[in-house]
Amino acid sequence: MLSDKGKEKAQYIMLSVAMLLLVGTAILPLLNIYWEGLKWIFAFGAVLALAERLTERYRGDNLRVRRLYTMGKVSAVLYCVSAYLLINSSTGNPSDWLAFLMAGAVMQIYCMYVYDYEKKKEDKKNDNKQH
């Protein structure tokens, strides 16, 4: 069994790899690099992001942070929907997958910045209690 720090590090690595795969495989077609396997690498990145989001837990009592964790899970689901639409491009508009990818990315970025803000606010609050 991994310690809590080990789990956090493994989750950080999982999410980092997933985001790199998603961004890399989404940018390559813009550079006129096409390969059928890119779709499957994108799908792997989406599933990896979802797996990481489903395994992370927030044990605090801050309701806003709890909601941010839920939004992170929703963004990972949007990545999976994007991967599905990319692989099955015969359903609807061929660029629909991009809309879901962008929606997930916007949620991910929002969560990242607001989580950092909440973390700093909580740390400042804890420092004031200690003094």
Side-chain angles (χ1 to χ4, degrees):
M1 290 289 256
L2 290 174
S3 66
D4 286 340
K5 291 287 184 189
K7 287 179 187 177
E8 286 179 20
K9 187 174 182 178
Q11 289 173 331
Y12 176 78
I13 291 170
M14 280 176 64
L15 190 61
S16 298
V17 168
M19 293 300 123
L20 286 172
L21 290 174
L22 289 172
V23 169
T25 54
I27 288 177
L28 288 176
L30 298 174
L31 302 173
N32 291 325
I33 300 173
Y34 298 101
W35 176 54
E36 188 65 29
L38 288 178
K39 294 178 181 181
W40 296 102
I41 295 171
F42 183 88
F44 176 73
V47 170
L48 188 62
L50 182 63
E52 189 280 330
R53 291 297 186 184
L54 291 177
T55 58
E56 70 183 359
R57 299 279 183 259
Y58 175 68
R59 290 174 173 75
D61 57 352
N62 188 334
L63 184 61
R64 190 169 191 188
V65 174
R66 191 174 304 143
R67 288 180 182 156
L68 290 171
Y69 272 73
T70 302
M71 285 178 69
K73 289 172 179 46
V74 171
S75 73
V77 169
L78 289 173
Y79 296 145
C80 290
V81 171
S82 177
Y84 172 78
L85 292 173
L86 179 63
I87 291 171
N88 294 331
S89 58
S90 62
T91 59
N93 190 352
S95 62
D96 283 345
W97 70 275
L98 198 53
F100 283 93
L101 175 63
M102 290 296 115
V106 167
M107 288 181 75
Q108 181 84 27
I109 291 168
Y110 173 79
C111 289
M112 180 181 65
Y113 283 112
V114 175
Y115 179 77
D116 285 344
Y117 172 76
E118 287 294 318
K119 184 76 170 155
K120 286 178 186 175
K121 193 166 80 171
E122 191 173 296
D123 290 344
K124 188 175 180 181
K125 183 178 162 183
N126 289 338
D127 285 344
N128 288 337
K129 282 184 179 179
Q130 290 177 355
H131 295 288

